[in-house]
Amino acid sequence: MGKKYEFKASKTERLSAFLASNVPALSSSKADMLIKCGEVRVNGVKTKANALLACGDTVSIFVPDAVNKNAVAVPVVYEDDNIVIFDKPKRTAYDALPQLYNAPLFAVHRLDTNTTGLIVFAKTEKAMKELSDAFKERRVKKVYEAAVLPAPESDGETLTAYTKLLNDRNLALVSDKPKNGYKTMITEYTVIRRIGDAAILRVFPHTGRTHQIRAHLSFIGCPIIGEHKYGIKGNAALQGAPDTQMLAAVELEFTGLKGGLEYLNEKTFTVSSGFDVTFLLSAYC
């Protein structure tokens, strides 16, 4: 778990420096990482920027046990001179990974803070250009797993909807009909396990819209367990359910890479979703 702290600023100061001076055993670099991970609120509003505090501002922060114990680590699934692939844990922002890795890296795609699993970084600018293009052009096959409640009636389906991102709220609107300013999103799923009213899905996004899987599954009435932005909060109230979304990037396959990365073509990288479904078995079995 972890511990929550709350303080009041007594002078004008940068957020990371203020946290490092007030939270026991927290360095400025770890404070900066927790800010990026969305664990800090200023006057009740989540911030991911190293803001300049004013006298009287209220600052709250959640510090996971792993940070307190100096045990933050991100497993490396694959690495060579051009790329590194991590198995990202939840509560870790994608742009905090280079800091944890302790070396310069270039982001080529992203995962939401509480989505776990495979994420790729480039080590060189040349690799960054090729990989960024590959992700944008859908030359990287991505597979996810998600636990949803309630389960879909169908054992598999390819869904089409239309979405528009409200940038100021970081929120994706979804429509079943085309609208001005909306983009098409296509999401395929198959049910790999049913547990009572819930299900574990294997999900294949055919487009790359922001929050696509979270928003699309909620739109069809099958929100991800633990997902609070688009989901139904009641489905996370099951005894023992996690407090963050059960969504994991479990497989990556490269195709059509060029520029010296051809050796990665047709390679597939996999991890386990790591979902603990004990609470579902207890509830429904």
Side-chain angles (χ1 to χ4, degrees), residues 242-265:
D243 61 350
T244 55
Q245 64 217 26
M246 296 183 73
L247 177 63
V250 297
E251 186 174 305
L252 282 171
E253 181 181 354
F254 297 105
T255 60
L257 292 181
K258 304 172 184 175
L261 299 182
E262 291 86 352
Y263 66 93
L264 292 169
N265 288 330

mmCIF file of all heavy atoms in Angstrom, residues 242-265:
data_model
loop_
_atom_site.group_PDB
_atom_site.id
_atom_site.type_symbol
_atom_site.label_atom_id
_atom_site.label_comp_id
_atom_site.label_asym_id
_atom_site.label_seq_id
_atom_site.Cartn_x
_atom_site.Cartn_y
_atom_site.Cartn_z
ATOM 1 N N PRO A 242 -8.900 -4.406 -6.909
ATOM 2 C CA PRO A 242 -7.845 -3.385 -6.905
ATOM 3 C C PRO A 242 -8.435 -1.994 -7.008
ATOM 4 O O PRO A 242 -9.571 -1.814 -7.466
ATOM 5 C CB PRO A 242 -7.020 -3.737 -8.153
ATOM 6 C CG PRO A 242 -7.987 -4.434 -9.058
ATOM 7 C CD PRO A 242 -8.906 -5.199 -8.155
ATOM 8 N N ASP A 243 -7.656 -0.986 -6.616
ATOM 9 C CA ASP A 243 -8.135 0.390 -6.666
ATOM 10 C C ASP A 243 -7.762 1.085 -7.965
ATOM 11 O O ASP A 243 -8.017 2.273 -8.135
ATOM 12 C CB ASP A 243 -7.586 1.189 -5.479
ATOM 13 C CG ASP A 243 -6.060 1.266 -5.472
ATOM 14 O OD1 ASP A 243 -5.436 0.550 -6.279
ATOM 15 O OD2 ASP A 243 -5.509 2.027 -4.660
ATOM 16 N N THR A 244 -7.158 0.350 -8.886
ATOM 17 C CA THR A 244 -6.820 0.901 -10.194
ATOM 18 C C THR A 244 -7.235 -0.090 -11.278
ATOM 19 O O THR A 244 -7.461 -1.268 -11.013
ATOM 20 C CB THR A 244 -5.311 1.169 -10.315
ATOM 21 O OG1 THR A 244 -4.592 -0.037 -10.013
ATOM 22 C CG2 THR A 244 -4.862 2.265 -9.366
ATOM 23 N N GLN A 245 -7.307 0.394 -12.503
ATOM 24 C CA GLN A 245 -7.879 -0.374 -13.601
ATOM 25 C C GLN A 245 -7.128 -1.675 -13.881
ATOM 26 O O GLN A 245 -5.905 -1.718 -13.888
ATOM 27 C CB GLN A 245 -7.903 0.481 -14.864
ATOM 28 C CG GLN A 245 -6.522 0.883 -15.376
ATOM 29 C CD GLN A 245 -6.495 2.282 -15.931
ATOM 30 O OE1 GLN A 245 -7.296 3.131 -15.556
ATOM 31 N NE2 GLN A 245 -5.575 2.540 -16.859
ATOM 32 N N MET A 246 -7.891 -2.725 -14.130
ATOM 33 C CA MET A 246 -7.322 -4.027 -14.496
ATOM 34 C C MET A 246 -7.179 -4.084 -16.018
ATOM 35 O O MET A 246 -7.974 -4.698 -16.733
ATOM 36 C CB MET A 246 -8.200 -5.156 -13.954
ATOM 37 C CG MET A 246 -8.249 -5.199 -12.435
ATOM 38 S SD MET A 246 -9.221 -6.572 -11.769
ATOM 39 C CE MET A 246 -8.129 -7.980 -12.115
ATOM 40 N N LEU A 247 -6.161 -3.390 -16.508
ATOM 41 C CA LEU A 247 -5.862 -3.309 -17.932
ATOM 42 C C LEU A 247 -4.359 -3.452 -18.102
ATOM 43 O O LEU A 247 -3.596 -2.722 -17.458
ATOM 44 C CB LEU A 247 -6.345 -1.984 -18.513
ATOM 45 C CG LEU A 247 -6.028 -1.725 -19.990
ATOM 46 C CD1 LEU A 247 -6.722 -2.743 -20.891
ATOM 47 C CD2 LEU A 247 -6.438 -0.302 -20.384
ATOM 48 N N ALA A 248 -3.931 -4.383 -18.953
ATOM 49 C CA ALA A 248 -2.502 -4.661 -19.118
ATOM 50 C C ALA A 248 -2.166 -4.865 -20.593
ATOM 51 O O ALA A 248 -2.904 -5.542 -21.324
ATOM 52 C CB ALA A 248 -2.116 -5.913 -18.329
ATOM 53 N N ALA A 249 -1.055 -4.263 -21.017
ATOM 54 C CA ALA A 249 -0.511 -4.499 -22.361
ATOM 55 C C ALA A 249 0.346 -5.763 -22.291
ATOM 56 O O ALA A 249 1.413 -5.742 -21.679
ATOM 57 C CB ALA A 249 0.320 -3.306 -22.809
ATOM 58 N N VAL A 250 -0.117 -6.853 -22.889
ATOM 59 C CA VAL A 250 0.522 -8.147 -22.670
ATOM 60 C C VAL A 250 1.324 -8.661 -23.869
ATOM 61 O O VAL A 250 2.068 -9.627 -23.729
ATOM 62 C CB VAL A 250 -0.523 -9.211 -22.264
ATOM 63 C CG1 VAL A 250 -1.180 -8.838 -20.938
ATOM 64 C CG2 VAL A 250 -1.582 -9.408 -23.350
ATOM 65 N N GLU A 251 1.175 -8.029 -25.027
ATOM 66 C CA GLU A 251 1.896 -8.548 -26.198
ATOM 67 C C GLU A 251 2.200 -7.429 -27.187
ATOM 68 O O GLU A 251 1.376 -6.548 -27.423
ATOM 69 C CB GLU A 251 1.051 -9.624 -26.890
ATOM 70 C CG GLU A 251 1.742 -10.340 -28.036
ATOM 71 C CD GLU A 251 0.900 -11.483 -28.589
ATOM 72 O OE1 GLU A 251 0.494 -12.367 -27.792
ATOM 73 O OE2 GLU A 251 0.627 -11.469 -29.808
ATOM 74 N N LEU A 252 3.417 -7.478 -27.762
ATOM 75 C CA LEU A 252 3.849 -6.562 -28.815
ATOM 76 C C LEU A 252 4.514 -7.363 -29.926
ATOM 77 O O LEU A 252 5.325 -8.249 -29.652
ATOM 78 C CB LEU A 252 4.867 -5.549 -28.279
ATOM 79 C CG LEU A 252 4.400 -4.351 -27.456
ATOM 80 C CD1 LEU A 252 5.613 -3.637 -26.876
ATOM 81 C CD2 LEU A 252 3.584 -3.390 -28.297
ATOM 82 N N GLU A 253 4.184 -7.022 -31.158
ATOM 83 C CA GLU A 253 4.855 -7.659 -32.303
ATOM 84 C C GLU A 253 5.191 -6.585 -33.327
ATOM 85 O O GLU A 253 4.336 -5.790 -33.716
ATOM 86 C CB GLU A 253 3.965 -8.720 -32.949
ATOM 87 C CG GLU A 253 4.640 -9.416 -34.123
ATOM 88 C CD GLU A 253 3.751 -10.460 -34.796
ATOM 89 O OE1 GLU A 253 2.646 -10.720 -34.276
ATOM 90 O OE2 GLU A 253 4.168 -11.001 -35.846
ATOM 91 N N PHE A 254 6.456 -6.555 -33.759
ATOM 92 C CA PHE A 254 6.907 -5.569 -34.728
ATOM 93 C C PHE A 254 6.801 -6.124 -36.150
ATOM 94 O O PHE A 254 7.130 -7.292 -36.396
ATOM 95 C CB PHE A 254 8.361 -5.178 -34.462
ATOM 96 C CG PHE A 254 8.585 -4.521 -33.127
ATOM 97 C CD1 PHE A 254 9.177 -5.211 -32.085
ATOM 98 C CD2 PHE A 254 8.210 -3.200 -32.929
ATOM 99 C CE1 PHE A 254 9.394 -4.605 -30.859
ATOM 100 C CE2 PHE A 254 8.420 -2.581 -31.696
ATOM 101 C CZ PHE A 254 9.008 -3.285 -30.662
ATOM 102 N N THR A 255 6.394 -5.262 -37.086
ATOM 103 C CA THR A 255 6.386 -5.623 -38.510
ATOM 104 C C THR A 255 6.804 -4.401 -39.321
ATOM 105 O O THR A 255 6.520 -3.263 -38.939
ATOM 106 C CB THR A 255 4.992 -6.082 -38.987
ATOM 107 O OG1 THR A 255 4.050 -5.021 -38.784
ATOM 108 C CG2 THR A 255 4.526 -7.318 -38.250
ATOM 109 N N GLY A 256 7.484 -4.646 -40.428
ATOM 110 C CA GLY A 256 7.804 -3.569 -41.364
ATOM 111 C C GLY A 256 8.795 -2.541 -40.869
ATOM 112 O O GLY A 256 8.867 -1.429 -41.408
ATOM 113 N N LEU A 257 9.600 -2.869 -39.837
ATOM 114 C CA LEU A 257 10.592 -1.908 -39.359
ATOM 115 C C LEU A 257 11.746 -1.799 -40.363
ATOM 116 O O LEU A 257 12.137 -2.770 -40.997
ATOM 117 C CB LEU A 257 11.138 -2.333 -37.993
ATOM 118 C CG LEU A 257 10.171 -2.285 -36.810
ATOM 119 C CD1 LEU A 257 10.881 -2.706 -35.537
ATOM 120 C CD2 LEU A 257 9.565 -0.899 -36.643
ATOM 121 N N LYS A 258 12.298 -0.584 -40.452
ATOM 122 C CA LYS A 258 13.414 -0.323 -41.346
ATOM 123 C C LYS A 258 14.511 0.395 -40.563
ATOM 124 O O LYS A 258 14.508 0.401 -39.341
ATOM 125 C CB LYS A 258 12.945 0.536 -42.526
ATOM 126 C CG LYS A 258 11.777 -0.056 -43.315
ATOM 127 C CD LYS A 258 11.245 0.939 -44.335
ATOM 128 C CE LYS A 258 10.023 0.397 -45.053
ATOM 129 N NZ LYS A 258 9.426 1.410 -45.967
ATOM 130 N N GLY A 259 15.449 1.003 -41.291
ATOM 131 C CA GLY A 259 16.448 1.853 -40.661
ATOM 132 C C GLY A 259 17.336 1.154 -39.660
ATOM 133 O O GLY A 259 17.700 1.730 -38.629
ATOM 134 N N GLY A 260 17.683 -0.103 -39.929
ATOM 135 C CA GLY A 260 18.557 -0.841 -39.036
ATOM 136 C C GLY A 260 17.832 -1.599 -37.941
ATOM 137 O O GLY A 260 18.476 -2.264 -37.121
ATOM 138 N N LEU A 261 16.496 -1.542 -37.945
ATOM 139 C CA LEU A 261 15.718 -2.272 -36.935
ATOM 140 C C LEU A 261 15.009 -3.492 -37.538
ATOM 141 O O LEU A 261 14.145 -4.090 -36.901
ATOM 142 C CB LEU A 261 14.673 -1.344 -36.295
ATOM 143 C CG LEU A 261 15.204 -0.122 -35.556
ATOM 144 C CD1 LEU A 261 14.055 0.673 -34.942
ATOM 145 C CD2 LEU A 261 16.196 -0.530 -34.468
ATOM 146 N N GLU A 262 15.428 -3.869 -38.743
ATOM 147 C CA GLU A 262 14.771 -4.994 -39.411
ATOM 148 C C GLU A 262 14.857 -6.285 -38.601
ATOM 149 O O GLU A 262 13.982 -7.148 -38.714
ATOM 150 C CB GLU A 262 15.406 -5.223 -40.800
ATOM 151 C CG GLU A 262 15.128 -4.132 -41.821
ATOM 152 C CD GLU A 262 16.128 -2.975 -41.733
ATOM 153 O OE1 GLU A 262 16.945 -2.943 -40.773
ATOM 154 O OE2 GLU A 262 16.099 -2.112 -42.630
ATOM 155 N N TYR A 263 15.883 -6.435 -37.788
ATOM 156 C CA TYR A 263 16.052 -7.659 -37.001
ATOM 157 C C TYR A 263 14.927 -7.869 -35.985
ATOM 158 O O TYR A 263 14.745 -8.972 -35.467
ATOM 159 C CB TYR A 263 17.403 -7.630 -36.275
ATOM 160 C CG TYR A 263 17.522 -6.552 -35.217
ATOM 161 C CD1 TYR A 263 17.222 -6.811 -33.885
ATOM 162 C CD2 TYR A 263 17.923 -5.255 -35.574
ATOM 163 C CE1 TYR A 263 17.319 -5.819 -32.916
ATOM 164 C CE2 TYR A 263 18.028 -4.264 -34.618
ATOM 165 C CZ TYR A 263 17.723 -4.550 -33.298
ATOM 166 O OH TYR A 263 17.825 -3.556 -32.352
ATOM 167 N N LEU A 264 14.156 -6.805 -35.708
ATOM 168 C CA LEU A 264 13.042 -6.920 -34.771
ATOM 169 C C LEU A 264 11.742 -7.374 -35.431
ATOM 170 O O LEU A 264 10.785 -7.731 -34.730
ATOM 171 C CB LEU A 264 12.798 -5.572 -34.074
ATOM 172 C CG LEU A 264 13.883 -5.096 -33.108
ATOM 173 C CD1 LEU A 264 13.647 -3.648 -32.716
ATOM 174 C CD2 LEU A 264 13.919 -5.988 -31.870
ATOM 175 N N ASN A 265 11.716 -7.351 -36.768
ATOM 176 C CA ASN A 265 10.493 -7.731 -37.468
ATOM 177 C C ASN A 265 10.093 -9.166 -37.154
ATOM 178 O O ASN A 265 10.941 -10.064 -37.107
ATOM 179 C CB ASN A 265 10.650 -7.549 -38.975
ATOM 180 C CG ASN A 265 10.654 -6.081 -39.367
ATOM 181 O OD1 ASN A 265 10.026 -5.258 -38.704
ATOM 182 N ND2 ASN A 265 11.352 -5.754 -40.451
#
